């Protein structure tokens, strides 16, 4: 609210998406505004990115935990937490966190975000067959058949490498 609301909204969007790894996703405006204490959360996100940029993942994680007290359902914070875990070498907990975030996006009806997160998981764990199957299912539901076919071919290659020829043939 206020006389320069549009300018502040643009700044908030820039802070939330500008320094994200990959930087491909755009945070929907409603998800920014639906968060209680939006200003605090936006400032926290900027501090988290600054801390990560400065090579302080532990401090960034503390900042995430503090911000989650204000906005526990804000998925972008949870995703930042997973990103910090990945940087810190905690791949398995980060992947589990990302799976939960992806499923939450699906439940909320945001399949595109879920696809992006599942793809992120597969970059860190390419032989994660259940995640790849979930991604294929989601892509098929969204009529992204070319991408789903590509994932099927990837799955076939994984089965071949694992010497599961019957599964590869079936896939």
């Amino acid at each position: 609210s206020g006389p320069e609301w549009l300018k502040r909204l643009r700044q908030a969007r820039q802070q939330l998406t500008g320094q994200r790894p990959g930087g491909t996703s755009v945070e929907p405006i409603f998800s920014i505004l639906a968060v209680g204490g939006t200003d605090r959360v936006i400032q926290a996100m900027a501090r988290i990115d600054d801390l990560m940029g400065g090579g302080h993942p532990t401090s960034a994680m503390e900042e995430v935990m503090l911000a989650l007290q204000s906005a526990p359902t804000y998925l972008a914070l949870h995703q930042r937490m997973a990103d910090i875990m990945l940087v810190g070498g905690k791949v398995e907990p980060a992947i589990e966190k990302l799976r939960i975030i992806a499923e939450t996006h699906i439940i909320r009806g945001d399949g595109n975000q879920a696809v992006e997160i599942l793809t992120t998981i597969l970059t860190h764990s390419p032989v994660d067959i259940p995640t790849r199957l979930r991604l294929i299912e989601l892509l098929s539901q969204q009529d992204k058949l070319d991408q789903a076919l590509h994932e099927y071919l990837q799955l076939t290659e994984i089965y071949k490498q694992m010497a599961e020829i019957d599964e590869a043939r079936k896939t």
Side-chain angles (χ1 to χ4, degrees), residues 20 24-28 30 75 79 98 101-121 134-145 147:
R20 281 281 321 276
T24 57
S25 67
V26 175
E27 195 69 29
F30 73 86
L75 294 180
Q79 193 159 355
L98 288 170
I101 294 168
E103 289 302 320
T104 305
H105 277 299
I106 292 168
I107 290 167
R108 290 182 178 180
D110 191 359
N112 291 330
Q113 282 291 106
V115 165
E116 186 175 317
I117 292 168
L118 293 173
T119 303
T120 300
I121 292 170
R134 184 68 169 133
L135 178 60
I136 291 168
E137 176 187 346
L138 197 56
L139 289 169
S140 298
Q141 289 172 356
Q142 295 176 359
D143 288 331
K144 296 179 180 177
L145 301 180
Q147 292 172 331

Side-chain angles (χ1 to χ4, degrees), residues 25-44:
S25 67
V26 175
E27 195 69 29
I29 293 173
F30 73 86
S31 72
I32 296 170
L33 298 176
V35 175
T38 304
D39 289 338
R40 284 180 302 204
V41 173
I42 291 169
Q43 290 170 0

